[in-house]
Amino acid sequence: MDENALFAVRNLYYSGNYTQVITDTTSAKTHANKATTHQLNLFHYRALIATKNYTRVAQEVTESHALGLQALKAQAVYLDAVQSADAAGRDAALAHLRDMLQVQSPDDPQPEATNLEVKVVVGQVLASEGLIEEALTVMLPHNNHLESVAVVVQIYLQMNRLDLAKKEVDACKSWAEDAMLAQLMEAWVGLRAGGGDRYQNAYYIYEEIATSSTSPTVKSLVGEAVCNIQMGQYPEAEGILQEALTKDPTNTDAIVNQIVLYTLLSKPAEEINTLIQQLQTVAPNHSYLQDLDLKSSLFDRAAQRYAIA
């Protein structure tokens, strides 16, 4: 029963059904053993973080909780600081996460597993900060820990090392081919590698994930939309993104991809600007906006060189 509950929760989380994860982990913990309860708690608080319930995670996780859960609390504090543009809080949370890599509990029955749980969180945060080399140093070796492999693959893709990302995914297939997370990794690499067959295969992966539950999640819909954009199927992508934004108007991935799609479709500037303003409202520090500001500044600087005196 415990393993069945964990399997279902994992797939719900990886597919992006975070609300259901919160509900199911709450009920499953009432009749689970200690080890399973810890795993359920990990996904419970990850789902709360994914739904931006940072304060709740920070309040509920205490020093009496396992180190892996305390790492999630530190991540929640970090993300809350990022969201509120609190630079000092952001730096303090990042320093705390680094320090947690050195912490070991003498009462921990599974110190290696705990270490991997902490590394996954720290690696994700460092990668989001652009500290790619440091993140990779933290994550390797990954000891065939599936979530660690997923973070390593994301880091390699961020480094534009498609060859190394593909190597990790190919190796992962020998021991975790049927796992949903392994299939998602294959889709990530396929989308970056490009080509009609790879795009189509990635689409099938997201489509299968979408149909695995009663209702497709925003995460799976955005994945399908990205595949359609890459295949040049813009009308299909537009319909899927509209469905995603109907489900969650604040989803930044859906908004950004809608901006990209509208640009490709040569939609009126007013419609594109409305989406940009929407993104500025829900995520003023989003990397897309930072990149847009940088490119706009570079363009203005270049234009001044040709300005008529």
Side-chain angles (χ1 to χ4, degrees):
M1 176 64 73
D2 289 341
E3 186 55 39
N4 288 338
L6 273 176
F7 178 81
V9 165
R10 284 193 196 99
N11 285 348
L12 284 169
Y13 178 80
Y14 297 140
S15 69
N17 199 339
Y18 304 122
T19 302
Q20 195 62 47
V21 169
I22 295 167
T23 300
D24 289 0
T25 52
T26 301
S27 60
K29 284 186 291 184
T30 59
H31 50 77
N33 61 37
K34 185 176 181 180
T36 303
T37 297
H38 172 68
Q39 292 296 316
L40 291 169
N41 275 329
L42 285 174
F43 283 102
H44 180 81
Y45 287 112
R46 286 176 180 173
L48 285 172
I49 289 172
T51 52
K52 299 182 180 180
N53 284 291
Y54 306 135
T55 302
R56 179 175 167 184
V57 176
Q59 291 175 343
E60 291 186 7
V61 178
T62 67
E63 292 184 0
S64 64
H65 284 89
L67 195 60
L69 295 174
Q70 291 187 45
L72 290 175
K73 174 179 180 175
Q75 183 183 30
V77 172
Y78 164 82
L79 291 171
D80 188 48
V82 171
Q83 182 174 262
S84 58
D86 177 4
R90 177 177 183 164
D91 291 344
L94 186 59
H96 181 48
L97 281 163
R98 286 190 175 110
D99 290 343
M100 293 191 75
L101 293 169
Q102 312 302 323
V103 177
Q104 290 185 337
S105 172
D107 301 324
D108 191 342
Q110 294 183 306
E112 291 184 4
T114 298
N115 188 41
L116 289 168
E117 291 168 2
V118 174
K119 282 185 172 184
V120 164
V121 174
V122 177
Q124 288 176 325
V125 171
L126 290 172
S128 71
E129 283 281 328
L131 302 169
I132 304 303
E133 295 294 340
E134 184 181 356
L136 197 58
T137 300
V138 167
M139 295 309 304
L140 294 176
H142 53 59
N143 300 326
N144 287 352
H145 177 249
L146 191 57
E147 292 190 333
S148 297
V149 175
V151 176
V152 169
V153 168
Q154 289 176 337
I155 292 171
Y156 281 147
L157 292 175
Q158 201 168 340
M159 295 170 64
N160 291 320
R161 288 303 306 270
L162 179 62
D163 56 328
L164 295 178
K166 187 176 185 303
K167 183 178 179 181
E168 290 288 351
V169 172
D170 289 343
C172 177
K173 287 182 180 180
S174 66
W175 50 273
E177 183 176 10
D178 294 332
M180 182 181 289
L181 186 55
Q183 294 173 15
L184 282 169
M185 283 187 266
E186 184 177 357
W188 303 339
V189 170
L191 282 169
R192 179 61 65 88
D197 290 344
R198 294 187 183 94
Y199 292 147
Q200 191 67 60
N201 183 59
Y203 176 83
Y204 288 147
I205 290 172
Y206 283 112
E207 184 181 44
E208 182 178 355
I209 292 172
T211 56
S212 65
S213 58
T214 54
S215 177
T217 64
V218 173
K219 184 176 180 179
S220 61
L221 287 170
V222 171
E224 288 184 56
V226 171
C227 295
N228 276 311
I229 290 173
Q230 295 290 6
M231 291 186 289
Q233 298 173 352
Y234 299 152
E236 292 84 350
E238 185 174 12
I240 293 171
L241 285 173
Q242 286 174 349
E243 181 180 353
L245 286 169
T246 298
K247 287 175 174 286
D248 182 7
T250 66
N251 186 275
T252 55
D253 289 338
I255 296 171
V256 169
N257 279 286
Q258 188 81 306
I259 293 170
V260 171
L261 178 61
Y262 275 20
T263 303
L264 292 169
L265 289 171
S266 300
K267 292 275 189 176
E270 294 79 7
E271 293 186 33
I272 297 173
N273 288 334
T274 297
L275 288 168
I276 292 174
Q277 290 169 5
Q278 185 178 347
L279 184 62
Q280 290 170 333
T281 300
V282 300
N285 300 308
H286 194 279
S287 58
Y288 176 87
L289 295 174
Q290 293 175 354
D291 188 53
L292 183 64
D293 287 343
L294 175 62
K295 286 182 170 54
S296 296
S297 175
L298 292 173
F299 177 83
D300 291 342
R301 192 180 308 170
Q304 287 177 358
R305 298 178 184 177
Y306 302 97
I308 299 175

